[in-house]
Amino acid sequence: MSHEASPIPPPRPFIGRERLAGICLVAFGLFALYASADLPFFTEGGVGSGLLPRALSVLIILLGSVQLLIAWRQPPESTGTWPLRDMVPVLIGIFLFALTIRGFDFGAFKLPVLGMAVATPLAIFCSGMAAKDARPVELLIFAIVLSAICVGLFRYALGLSLPVAPWLIGY
């Protein structure tokens, strides 16, 4: 019986998991702060729509900074190898959802508004393909059921103005 030794990570890598997590949190918080810059902070009636996104952005930046400070005091673990098969389908699902929920216009390329009826199951199916034991038929059924729940919750129960299926029912 032979045991193959797993590759030994470098003893003191510059960037470890905790440091990378802190850097990502700070970067995400800065991006969210930039993205919410054009929202009004306060209006004549009180709180504007930009207060919560900015407050959460600052909170994420602070938590990422705390994570970095804690991680810098301890020797980091190696991040090891990153399996792309686990990350790429999730990223594709997120981008497809962002492009299809409200449409996309980039010069000559124009993607119509497809709404939650298409964007949600597409994102769930694509992201679900990251699982090693994913079965397409089961994943499709799960995507359809979860999408119906999302439409019922976000559009009808919470009353958000998300397009459901403008190509089919007009809203």
Side-chain angles (χ1 to χ4, degrees):
M1 189 163 28
S2 69
H3 282 299
E4 289 185 28
S6 61
I8 299 171
R12 291 206 178 260
F14 172 72
I15 191 156
R17 292 179 184 161
E18 285 79 19
R19 290 181 186 173
L20 186 62
I23 291 169
C24 287
L25 283 173
V26 170
F28 179 70
L30 289 172
F31 174 74
L33 200 58
Y34 169 76
S36 64
D38 60 342
L39 297 173
F41 199 67
F42 287 107
T43 62
E44 295 91 23
V47 175
S49 60
L51 179 65
L52 183 64
R54 286 188 196 142
L56 291 176
S57 300
V58 169
L59 181 64
I60 290 171
I61 292 169
L62 288 174
L63 290 174
S65 300
V66 169
Q67 177 73 27
L68 278 171
L69 287 174
I70 291 171
W72 223 267
R73 300 175 86 199
Q74 302 169 354
E77 292 181 23
S78 173
T79 56
T81 59
W82 293 17
L84 288 177
R85 185 191 184 285
D86 297 343
M87 291 187 294
V88 170
V90 175
L91 290 174
I92 290 173
I94 292 169
F95 285 123
L96 285 176
F97 182 83
L99 292 175
T100 57
I101 186 81
R102 296 213 185 248
F104 182 72
D105 188 12
F106 187 72
F109 179 72
K110 186 169 188 163
L111 188 64
V113 178
L114 297 176
M116 288 181 67
V118 173
T120 307
L122 187 63
I124 293 169
F125 186 81
C126 286
S127 298
M129 292 307 289
K132 291 174 178 48
D133 59 346
R135 295 183 183 143
V137 174
E138 291 175 0
L139 199 53
L140 185 63
I141 293 168
F142 176 70
I144 291 170
V145 170
L146 189 58
S147 298
I149 292 170
C150 287
V151 168
L153 174 68
F154 294 116
R155 176 65 185 193
Y156 299 109
L158 295 175
L160 299 178
S161 63
L162 294 170
V164 176
W167 45 272
L168 181 64
I169 57 177
Y171 65 88

